[in-house]
Amino acid sequence: MKPINTDTIDWFNTQATAVNDLVSKIGLFTAYFKDQPVTDLDGYAGYLIRSKPASENEGGIHSGKDILDSLVLIG
């Protein structure tokens, strides 16, 4: 499968910026209580994707450098 190259529109402080070099990181969350998973999926509780321009050296949602993202699979 070949990646699809598209620009992303980043909205920050009411300013729109086109971004075409995103790097994304996915984090998986698990939930345990007393060393036992609390979900039916062996503790899996969700995910979070953060993206930022490849040219950006700083990071973090709180600083406005990262973008909260969502996962879309196109087959």
Side-chain angles (χ1 to χ4, degrees):
M1 180 182 297
K2 185 177 178 183
I4 300 171
N5 294 325
T6 60
D7 285 349
T8 298
I9 303 298
D10 175 23
W11 286 91
F12 183 71
N13 286 340
T14 69
Q15 298 285 328
T17 306
V19 181
N20 60 10
D21 64 341
L22 284 181
V23 175
S24 298
K25 302 177 276 185
I26 186 168
L28 301 177
F29 293 96
T30 56
Y32 282 76
F33 181 71
K34 295 186 178 181
D35 293 326
Q36 297 297 314
V38 296
T39 68
D40 293 334
L41 301 171
D42 200 25
Y44 173 74
Y47 71 92
L48 174 74
I49 299 177
R50 297 183 327 174
S51 300
K52 67 178 183 177
S55 59
E56 185 58 56
N57 200 16
E58 298 296 323
I61 299 295
H62 64 281
S63 66
K65 302 297 182 182
D66 281 2
I67 301 165
L68 284 177
D69 217 340
S70 58
L71 181 65
V72 176
L73 298 177
I74 300 172

